[in-house]
Amino acid sequence: MSPGTNAAGTTTSGNTADGETTEDRTTEDRTTAAAWAGRPLGERTVGYTETDAILYALAVGAPATDLELVFEDRLRVLPSFGLTLAQWAPDVLAEQGAFDNRAVHGSQELTVFKPLPRSGQFTLRARVGEVWDKGSAAVFNVLAECDYFAATWSIFAPGFGGFGGDRGPGRTAAPAGVPLASTGFSSSPNQAALYRLLGDRHPIHIDPQAARGIGQDRPILHGLASLAGATLPLARLAGAHPADLVRLAGRFAGVVFPGDDLTVRAWDGGRFEALAGERPVISDGLAVFG
């Protein structure tokens, strides 16, 4: 599995690429997970066009009537588009063998320094941050930074904990009281097919057979597409433009299927959660607009 492709709650298991079983590697994994902390993952110069930025906006649910997101003459780039340009960072860690195909993308953070231009290129630097020991699992934090934003992927890796390290911070307390506002929004039946064109082409998002391999009866939507899609109605609730996003965070609490009807509930300070029916799909959410 490539990190960043599964929402939390979906798991895979089986043999590693070299034929060893995951059980054979458990002892070694527990002693080596901590050694990844602080490891540089390199840097890359990434580029994009106005077309890429518009495709991204459509792929996370922007309507064709929002001309500032879909028309090049007025284009404002959604800040979360940067996450697609930095996805190589957690992918590099996976390719280097830090964890196996049981790992899932647990949560995501994004801090925006300045708006992305309509098109251009820039250099991203990536490294492994802290590696937390959750007992039965490890959490690898992958950091990617550039002049425009800083992003952190938290990858939950079952079977890689137990190395005696720091457990890391606990869960954020749920928002108190009733939500200040709530609104519904819908994912598109074609949304995963669109979003995968931005680079994350894991088959679980398009191929029913691959989805069945992770215990789902049909392809699932990318977690980052759900998280970015939630910022559109949240911006409306805040009286802001979605391109004015300055902070974003969320934990992937469950899968979203293309075509699902979703609800966001918002509290003071930018806190939010997203649900599919009564089922949480994004928890510990934070969306702050400048």
Side-chain angles (χ1 to χ4, degrees), residues 30-47:
R30 288 178 176 172
T31 60
T32 59
W36 292 92
R39 184 172 300 195
L41 297 173
E43 64 177 46
R44 292 190 186 181
T45 298
V46 297

Side-chain angles (χ1 to χ4, degrees), residues 76 79 112-113 115 235 238-248 287-290:
R76 299 183 66 191
V112 179
F113 303 138
H241 192 281
D244 290 329
L245 182 76
V246 294
R247 288 191 64 197
L248 178 64
V288 178
F289 301 89

Side-chain angles (χ1 to χ4, degrees), residues 109 154 214-215:
E109 296 181 9
S154 291
I214 60 166

Side-chain angles (χ1 to χ4, degrees), residues 135-159:
S136 62
V139 174
F140 295 82
N141 292 291
V142 179
L143 286 65
E145 300 173 306
C146 64
D147 293 339
Y148 296 96
F149 62 85
T152 302
W153 284 252
S154 291
I155 309 299
F156 184 83

Side-chain angles (χ1 to χ4, degrees), residues 53-111:
I54 292 169
L55 174 61
Y56 176 79
L58 293 169
V60 300
T65 53
D66 192 338
L67 298 186
E68 290 191 338
L69 296 181
V70 302
F71 181 33
E72 58 275 12
D73 286 0
R74 306 184 191 179
L75 184 61
R76 299 183 66 191
V77 179
L78 288 170
S80 53
F81 174 55
L83 297 175
T84 70
L85 302 173
Q87 180 60 49
W88 61 268
D91 289 349
V92 165
L93 185 60
E95 291 163 3
Q96 292 182 359
F99 40 77
D100 59 27
N101 61 4
R102 294 170 294 173
V104 293
H105 188 177
S107 63
Q108 183 69 48
E109 296 181 9
L110 174 69
T111 300

